[in-house]
Amino acid sequence: MSYGSHRVLDGLSIAVPAGSITALLGGNGAGKSTTLSLLLGFVRPNDGRVTVCGVDPGVEPDHARGRTAYLPENVALYDHLTAVENASYLLALSGNRPSRAAILDAFAAAGLQERAWDARLSGFSKGMRQKVAIAVAWLREVPVLLLDEPTSGLDPQATADFNALLHAIRVRNTAVLMVTHDLLSAVDVADRIGFLERGRIVEEVAATGTERFDIRALRARFGERARAA
Ligand SMILES: Nc1ncnc2c1ncn2[C@@H]1O[C@H](COP(=O)(O)OP(=O)(O)OP(=O)(O)O)[C@@H](O)[C@H]1O
Ligand SMILES: [Mg+2]
């Protein structure tokens, strides 16, 4: 995948199975967001193949996006609407009409405080916005979830809340691909971590069975790469 003559992804091979969370780490400009753009059909690869639920998102973007929830780095929500109104409106755009109770359940699961549910978003912190966004993604009940640096700028508690909901989404057999710089968050939440460098995955580790990652071993193994992430 190149932008003009600038080759960004080169020989990248990645598959994200249903019911799993893959974290994609890599430095600035490594091509993480571009990978998500390919999966969303926003850009087309110069060569190679991209499929989402069996279809090429570049050829059938509506089919692919209808099955994909995407949290961009900066979530676009409406400041003049309340949290509930944002969720209702955004979900209506994708053809979902959840009840108020279902929306409140999702907010609670995302860790959004009750006093924020009917408040306008103009006073929300970044973490509160992320919680609204992940609640909306949860309510869409789609098989694919793409996240671009979802925990950047969140405090440890907000990150933990976020990761907990991600786990709940994964249990529903969703394929989750999370792009991040946050090795700790990746270790906490992912089943697999891939390090993107020079346009491809240069290292890949998996959490085996009930064993989580050993952060010290990871740092030692990935050295500068993990520290930079
Ligand atoms: N629309 C575009 N047109 C031209 N070049 C682009 C475009 N989008 C990204 N690039 C370039 O492609 C490379 C990869 O960008 P990308 O946004 O995928 O990186 P990233 O891994 O998400 O980085 P970051 O961690 O900073 O978000 C960068 O060199 C960037 O400048
Ligand atoms: Mg990016």
Side-chain angles (χ1 to χ4, degrees):
M1 164 66 209
S2 303
Y3 293 108
S5 60
H6 180 198
R7 192 170 285 201
V8 178
L9 300 173
D10 187 7
L12 172 68
S13 177
I14 186 169
V16 183
S20 72
I21 300 177
T22 298
L24 192 58
L25 272 80
N28 292 127
K32 303 180 300 298
S33 298
T34 299
T35 303
L36 299 185
S37 295
L38 283 165
L39 292 166
L40 289 156
F42 295 158
V43 295
R44 304 281 290 269
N46 304 74
D47 199 359
R49 207 160 58 92
V50 182
T51 57
V52 174
C53 298
V55 306
D56 181 339
V59 176
E60 296 179 67
D62 291 348
H63 182 100
R65 286 179 212 157
R67 285 156 183 76
T68 305
Y70 166 53
L71 260 65
E73 205 179 335
N74 292 303
V75 179
L77 297 165
Y78 296 90
D79 269 4
H80 60 287
L81 300 180
T82 69
V84 170
E85 287 165 352
N86 264 282
S88 297
Y89 179 66
L90 293 170
L91 286 157
L93 290 181
S94 56
N96 303 77
R97 306 211 175 266
S99 65
R100 176 180 165 85
I103 291 172
L104 299 187
D105 280 350
F107 284 166
L112 186 69
Q113 314 96 297
E114 197 172 338
R115 62 175 172 76
W117 295 351
D118 289 304
R120 285 181 192 222
L121 254 69
S122 45
F124 278 28
S125 68
K126 171 156 190 181
M128 292 162 79
R129 287 167 194 271
Q130 287 297 83
K131 286 171 181 179
V132 173
I134 190 80
V136 170
W138 160 265
L139 288 162
R140 283 200 50 212
E141 297 194 39
V142 284
V144 179
L145 175 59
L146 305 177
L147 307 144
D148 202 343
E149 302 188 30
T151 57
S152 80
L154 299 195
D155 69 32
Q157 183 58 53
T159 301
D161 290 341
F162 193 89
N163 288 347
L165 195 59
L166 220 48
H167 264 292
I169 289 175
R170 163 181 170 274
V171 167
R172 287 199 312 213
N173 216 29
T174 307
V176 182
L177 180 61
M178 175 172 99
V179 157
T180 185
H181 291 285
D182 182 354
L183 181 64
L184 279 175
S185 193
V187 163
D188 188 27
V189 83
D191 303 294
R192 248 178 355 145
I193 302 176
F195 286 86
L196 189 62
E197 210 177 275
R198 300 184 304 278
R200 66 187 69 193
I201 306 266
V202 290
E203 297 273 5
E204 196 175 331
V205 287
T208 51
T210 54
E211 266 183 43
R212 297 305 301 163
F213 299 99
D214 179 340
I215 181 93
R216 286 187 193 197
L218 266 186
R219 280 193 186 279
R221 185 160 162 195
F222 295 112
E224 286 308 312
R225 200 171 293 142
R227 265 188 288 281

